[in-house]
Amino acid sequence: MQHKNKNISNGVMLNVYPDSIGEKFSDTVSMLKRDDFKDVFSFIYVLPTFFNSDLDRGFSIIDYDINKDLVDIKDLKDLNELQIKLKFDIVLNHLSVASPQFKDLLQYGNESKFKDFFINWNEFWEGNGLKNEDGIVIPKPEFLQKLFMRKSGLPILKVRFPDGTEQPYWNTFYQQITYNPIAVADLQNIKGLTEAQSMFIVPLVNAAINNNQDFTTINFEDCTPLKSEILQIIEQKRSYLGQMDVNAASPLVWEFYEETLKKLSDYGCTILRLDAFAYLHKQVGESNFFNKPGTWDYLERIKKIAQQNNLMLLPEIHAEYGLHLHDEVANEGYYIYDFFLPGLTIHTIENQTSSALLSWAKEIIAKRYKTVNMLGCHDGIPVLDLKGKEVNGVYNKGLLEDAEIEKIMTTIMERGGRVKNLYDPSGNKISYYQINATFFSALGEDEQKLLLARAIQMFMPGIPQVWYLDIFAGKNNYEAADNGGSAGHKEINRTTLSMHDIEQGLKTEVVNKQLEFIRLRNTSNAFSGEVKINDAEEDILDIKWSNGNTVAHLKANLKTKNFTIDHTENGLTSTMYF
């Protein structure tokens, strides 16, 4: 007889936005209450639109209060009754420009209580660079070349203070400045400006805004002597979107972290994912990504706060395998994300070879890594992570060769995927990063391949995290990707499923077969035991989990894509054929 698994290292985790299914989080909870989903999941990872946020689909946090438009406190009580535990994010590196802290800074400028809560770029680099014609400090070349960029150009957002000055603030990720239309009433305090002149200026300015015209080139004709005052009004009316890096050297930031972790624990959080933590520690002369020992010092401080709130930490870090940062994080006792599995699984299935996948599986086992793995997720399919890396003049091999990684990328792109790249400080592309596609579409929308990929995931060591759309064999959403703006590539894999979609999906084999062996993974005591990789030909996968007399055994033929799962308990063996 199978038993509900309550071991944090063994249960399966569902990954959703609060509105991924139906219209509100209550619809996801309703789905989980169905008999079809009984005992399928022990955890649910709810992405941060659970909280109040304004862009980047939740990762630009305004505050960590519950987003009442999508979530009700009753949803949390219902999950508790289902014995499903919660995983949340804390976005350590940044907050939204709409956060109370940054709004206070915009309102009060240098008099704000939160002046040092964020990072003034010029103050940070003072004495270590020269100002350009725009008043921005350009760090010395030896410092600039160490910066790791997530977008082209310097990672700054210029904001306007109440005194009219432009202040550059560190902004690693997303930003947008919007110039809002002006009205006649906005110009009424400009002395010497007549109403007729105001009525001439307003459509002139608004047309320039619509056409993205440089305001300094506008011909104000007889109002030209008042041009500077008019331009000030235009600038005062602009608004911002952005994820502003916080200054972890400020005690106020750590007070905020303490308040936030307690709040998340009170919601019922068990696992806390540390988003973008590797960008948090910044120091002149060091990389802005996982510099040492500063990053370790901050991580230890967060760990102590987490322990006080009974939270298990999961640091999120994307880096080349050859850099071995995953090894360092694991050696400090942390769970790590297995960002290697998605690409390795595609490589294994498409090339009918198990060697690279099993090499990684054996490393996990030998080094006793504690991992959370996945196939699809809210972000892209990682490819940078698989690469080798030169460290101190020595090249450390990757899990795959560059040509093999390129082949994965080409295959997914030919099947409709979109690509995300990384940039150097001059705006030049230096590396691919990840590919955006549903995992089903990445596999050529072949149901047998998807079932085999899911079986591989369920038998790999680690906590399996399952993207909601993959269960229902979701396909690339090109319309959403095309209409999604600067981050639209991610929307290709974020389609909302209606309750009707759920009903229809549950009538299909590809959904029910996945649920069948996800349930086995979530409930069988075999997966609390030892895992063994059995010797086999390169086109065969043979993985066995054993815990006393309870055994789960996967045998897969990579050529035919067919596989079996044997499960033995209390002397009885049942076999699933796929």
Short mmCIF file of all heavy atoms in Angstrom, two decimals, residues 340-369:
data_model
loop_
_atom_site.label_atom_id
_atom_site.label_comp_id
_atom_site.label_asym_id
_atom_site.label_seq_id
_atom_site.Cartn_x
_atom_site.Cartn_y
_atom_site.Cartn_z
N PHE A 340 20.54 21.81 -14.96
CA PHE A 340 21.18 21.03 -16.00
C PHE A 340 20.22 20.00 -16.62
O PHE A 340 20.38 19.63 -17.78
CB PHE A 340 22.41 20.31 -15.44
CG PHE A 340 23.33 21.21 -14.66
CD1 PHE A 340 23.49 21.06 -13.29
CD2 PHE A 340 24.02 22.23 -15.30
CE1 PHE A 340 24.33 21.89 -12.57
CE2 PHE A 340 24.87 23.06 -14.59
CZ PHE A 340 25.02 22.90 -13.22
N LEU A 341 19.25 19.55 -15.83
CA LEU A 341 18.40 18.45 -16.28
C LEU A 341 17.58 18.75 -17.54
O LEU A 341 17.47 17.88 -18.41
CB LEU A 341 17.47 18.00 -15.14
CG LEU A 341 16.57 16.81 -15.46
CD1 LEU A 341 17.41 15.58 -15.80
CD2 LEU A 341 15.62 16.51 -14.31
N PRO A 342 16.98 19.93 -17.70
CA PRO A 342 16.16 20.15 -18.90
C PRO A 342 16.93 19.92 -20.20
O PRO A 342 16.48 19.19 -21.08
CB PRO A 342 15.72 21.61 -18.76
CG PRO A 342 15.75 21.88 -17.30
CD PRO A 342 16.92 21.10 -16.78
N GLY A 343 18.10 20.56 -20.33
CA GLY A 343 18.90 20.40 -21.54
C GLY A 343 19.42 18.99 -21.71
O GLY A 343 19.45 18.44 -22.82
N LEU A 344 19.85 18.37 -20.61
CA LEU A 344 20.35 17.00 -20.67
C LEU A 344 19.26 16.03 -21.10
O LEU A 344 19.52 15.07 -21.85
CB LEU A 344 20.92 16.57 -19.31
CG LEU A 344 22.25 17.20 -18.90
CD1 LEU A 344 22.60 16.80 -17.48
CD2 LEU A 344 23.36 16.79 -19.87
N THR A 345 18.04 16.26 -20.64
CA THR A 345 16.93 15.38 -21.01
C THR A 345 16.63 15.48 -22.50
O THR A 345 16.42 14.46 -23.18
CB THR A 345 15.68 15.72 -20.18
OG1 THR A 345 15.97 15.56 -18.79
CG2 THR A 345 14.52 14.82 -20.55
N ILE A 346 16.61 16.70 -23.02
CA ILE A 346 16.38 16.87 -24.46
C ILE A 346 17.51 16.22 -25.25
O ILE A 346 17.26 15.50 -26.23
CB ILE A 346 16.26 18.37 -24.80
CG1 ILE A 346 14.97 18.94 -24.18
CG2 ILE A 346 16.26 18.59 -26.31
CD1 ILE A 346 14.85 20.44 -24.27
N HIS A 347 18.75 16.44 -24.82
CA HIS A 347 19.91 15.82 -25.48
C HIS A 347 19.78 14.30 -25.47
O HIS A 347 20.02 13.63 -26.48
CB HIS A 347 21.18 16.26 -24.77
CG HIS A 347 22.42 15.54 -25.22
ND1 HIS A 347 23.07 15.84 -26.40
CD2 HIS A 347 23.12 14.51 -24.65
CE1 HIS A 347 24.12 15.04 -26.53
NE2 HIS A 347 24.17 14.23 -25.49
N THR A 348 19.40 13.74 -24.33
CA THR A 348 19.28 12.29 -24.17
C THR A 348 18.24 11.71 -25.12
O THR A 348 18.49 10.70 -25.81
CB THR A 348 18.90 11.95 -22.72
OG1 THR A 348 19.93 12.41 -21.85
CG2 THR A 348 18.69 10.46 -22.53
N ILE A 349 17.07 12.34 -25.17
CA ILE A 349 15.97 11.81 -25.99
C ILE A 349 16.23 12.01 -27.48
O ILE A 349 16.03 11.10 -28.29
CB ILE A 349 14.65 12.46 -25.57
CG1 ILE A 349 14.27 12.00 -24.15
CG2 ILE A 349 13.53 12.15 -26.55
CD1 ILE A 349 13.07 12.70 -23.56
N GLU A 350 16.72 13.18 -27.85
CA GLU A 350 16.91 13.49 -29.28
C GLU A 350 18.10 12.72 -29.87
O GLU A 350 18.09 12.38 -31.05
CB GLU A 350 17.10 14.99 -29.48
CG GLU A 350 15.89 15.83 -29.12
CD GLU A 350 14.67 15.52 -29.96
OE1 GLU A 350 14.83 15.13 -31.15
OE2 GLU A 350 13.55 15.64 -29.44
N ASN A 351 19.12 12.45 -29.05
CA ASN A 351 20.32 11.79 -29.56
C ASN A 351 20.40 10.32 -29.17
O ASN A 351 21.38 9.64 -29.50
CB ASN A 351 21.57 12.52 -29.07
CG ASN A 351 21.69 13.91 -29.66
OD1 ASN A 351 22.06 14.09 -30.81
ND2 ASN A 351 21.33 14.92 -28.87
N GLN A 352 19.40 9.85 -28.43
CA GLN A 352 19.31 8.43 -28.05
C GLN A 352 20.57 7.96 -27.32
O GLN A 352 21.07 6.86 -27.55
CB GLN A 352 19.05 7.56 -29.29
CG GLN A 352 17.80 7.97 -30.04
CD GLN A 352 17.63 7.23 -31.35
OE1 GLN A 352 18.32 6.25 -31.61
NE2 GLN A 352 16.71 7.69 -32.19
N THR A 353 21.07 8.82 -26.43
CA THR A 353 22.26 8.48 -25.66
C THR A 353 22.10 8.92 -24.22
O THR A 353 21.71 10.06 -23.95
CB THR A 353 23.53 9.11 -26.27
OG1 THR A 353 24.63 8.88 -25.39
CG2 THR A 353 23.38 10.61 -26.47
N SER A 354 22.43 8.05 -23.31
CA SER A 354 22.23 8.31 -21.88
C SER A 354 23.48 8.80 -21.17
O SER A 354 23.42 9.15 -19.98
CB SER A 354 21.74 7.03 -21.19
OG SER A 354 22.74 6.02 -21.27
N SER A 355 24.62 8.83 -21.84
CA SER A 355 25.90 9.01 -21.14
C SER A 355 25.99 10.33 -20.38
O SER A 355 26.39 10.36 -19.21
CB SER A 355 27.07 8.89 -22.14
OG SER A 355 26.91 9.81 -23.20
N ALA A 356 25.63 11.45 -21.02
CA ALA A 356 25.77 12.75 -20.35
C ALA A 356 24.80 12.86 -19.18
O ALA A 356 25.16 13.34 -18.09
CB ALA A 356 25.52 13.88 -21.35
N LEU A 357 23.56 12.42 -19.38
CA LEU A 357 22.56 12.46 -18.31
C LEU A 357 23.00 11.63 -17.12
O LEU A 357 22.93 12.08 -15.96
CB LEU A 357 21.22 11.95 -18.84
CG LEU A 357 20.10 11.82 -17.80
CD1 LEU A 357 19.55 13.18 -17.41
CD2 LEU A 357 18.98 10.93 -18.32
N LEU A 358 23.48 10.42 -17.39
CA LEU A 358 23.84 9.53 -16.29
C LEU A 358 25.13 9.98 -15.60
O LEU A 358 25.32 9.73 -14.41
CB LEU A 358 23.97 8.10 -16.80
CG LEU A 358 22.66 7.48 -17.30
CD1 LEU A 358 22.86 6.02 -17.68
CD2 LEU A 358 21.54 7.61 -16.26
N SER A 359 26.00 10.65 -16.34
CA SER A 359 27.20 11.21 -15.72
C SER A 359 26.79 12.24 -14.65
O SER A 359 27.36 12.25 -13.55
CB SER A 359 28.08 11.86 -16.78
OG SER A 359 29.18 12.51 -16.18
N TRP A 360 25.81 13.07 -14.99
CA TRP A 360 25.32 14.06 -14.02
C TRP A 360 24.59 13.37 -12.87
O TRP A 360 24.78 13.73 -11.71
CB TRP A 360 24.43 15.07 -14.73
CG TRP A 360 23.65 15.98 -13.82
CD1 TRP A 360 22.31 16.17 -13.80
CD2 TRP A 360 24.18 16.85 -12.81
NE1 TRP A 360 21.96 17.09 -12.85
CE2 TRP A 360 23.08 17.53 -12.21
CE3 TRP A 360 25.47 17.11 -12.34
CZ2 TRP A 360 23.24 18.45 -11.18
CZ3 TRP A 360 25.62 18.03 -11.31
CH2 TRP A 360 24.53 18.69 -10.74
N ALA A 361 23.76 12.37 -13.16
CA ALA A 361 23.05 11.65 -12.11
C ALA A 361 24.02 11.01 -11.12
O ALA A 361 23.82 11.07 -9.90
CB ALA A 361 22.14 10.59 -12.72
N LYS A 362 25.08 10.43 -11.64
CA LYS A 362 26.08 9.79 -10.77
C LYS A 362 26.82 10.82 -9.92
O LYS A 362 27.19 10.53 -8.78
CB LYS A 362 27.06 8.98 -11.62
CG LYS A 362 26.44 7.73 -12.24
CD LYS A 362 27.39 7.03 -13.20
CE LYS A 362 26.73 5.81 -13.84
NZ LYS A 362 27.63 5.16 -14.84
N GLU A 363 27.03 12.02 -10.47
CA GLU A 363 27.67 13.07 -9.68
C GLU A 363 26.76 13.49 -8.53
O GLU A 363 27.23 13.69 -7.39
CB GLU A 363 27.99 14.28 -10.55
CG GLU A 363 28.68 15.41 -9.78
CD GLU A 363 29.04 16.60 -10.65
OE1 GLU A 363 29.04 16.49 -11.88
OE2 GLU A 363 29.34 17.67 -10.06
N ILE A 364 25.46 13.64 -8.80
CA ILE A 364 24.52 13.99 -7.74
C ILE A 364 24.57 12.96 -6.62
O ILE A 364 24.62 13.29 -5.43
CB ILE A 364 23.07 14.07 -8.30
CG1 ILE A 364 22.93 15.20 -9.31
CG2 ILE A 364 22.07 14.27 -7.16
CD1 ILE A 364 21.58 15.23 -10.01
N ILE A 365 24.58 11.69 -7.02
CA ILE A 365 24.57 10.61 -6.04
C ILE A 365 25.89 10.58 -5.26
O ILE A 365 25.90 10.51 -4.02
CB ILE A 365 24.34 9.25 -6.74
CG1 ILE A 365 22.94 9.22 -7.37
CG2 ILE A 365 24.50 8.10 -5.75
CD1 ILE A 365 22.75 8.08 -8.36
N ALA A 366 27.01 10.65 -5.97
CA ALA A 366 28.33 10.54 -5.33
C ALA A 366 28.59 11.70 -4.39
O ALA A 366 29.15 11.51 -3.29
CB ALA A 366 29.41 10.47 -6.40
N LYS A 367 28.19 12.91 -4.79
CA LYS A 367 28.46 14.09 -3.97
C LYS A 367 27.31 14.42 -3.03
O LYS A 367 27.37 15.41 -2.30
CB LYS A 367 28.78 15.28 -4.87
CG LYS A 367 30.06 15.08 -5.67
CD LYS A 367 30.46 16.34 -6.44
CE LYS A 367 31.77 16.17 -7.17
NZ LYS A 367 32.16 17.38 -7.92
N ARG A 368 26.25 13.62 -3.08
CA ARG A 368 25.09 13.78 -2.20
C ARG A 368 24.48 15.18 -2.29
O ARG A 368 24.11 15.79 -1.29
CB ARG A 368 25.47 13.45 -0.74
CG ARG A 368 25.92 12.02 -0.55
CD ARG A 368 26.13 11.66 0.91
NE ARG A 368 26.51 10.27 1.06
CZ ARG A 368 25.65 9.25 1.13
NH1 ARG A 368 24.35 9.49 1.04
NH2 ARG A 368 26.08 8.01 1.28
N TYR A 369 24.40 15.68 -3.51
CA TYR A 369 23.73 16.95 -3.71
C TYR A 369 22.25 16.84 -3.32
O TYR A 369 21.61 15.82 -3.59
CB TYR A 369 23.77 17.37 -5.18
CG TYR A 369 25.12 17.73 -5.74
CD1 TYR A 369 25.37 17.55 -7.10
CD2 TYR A 369 26.13 18.27 -4.95
CE1 TYR A 369 26.60 17.90 -7.66
CE2 TYR A 369 27.35 18.61 -5.50
CZ TYR A 369 27.58 18.42 -6.85
OH TYR A 369 28.80 18.77 -7.40
#
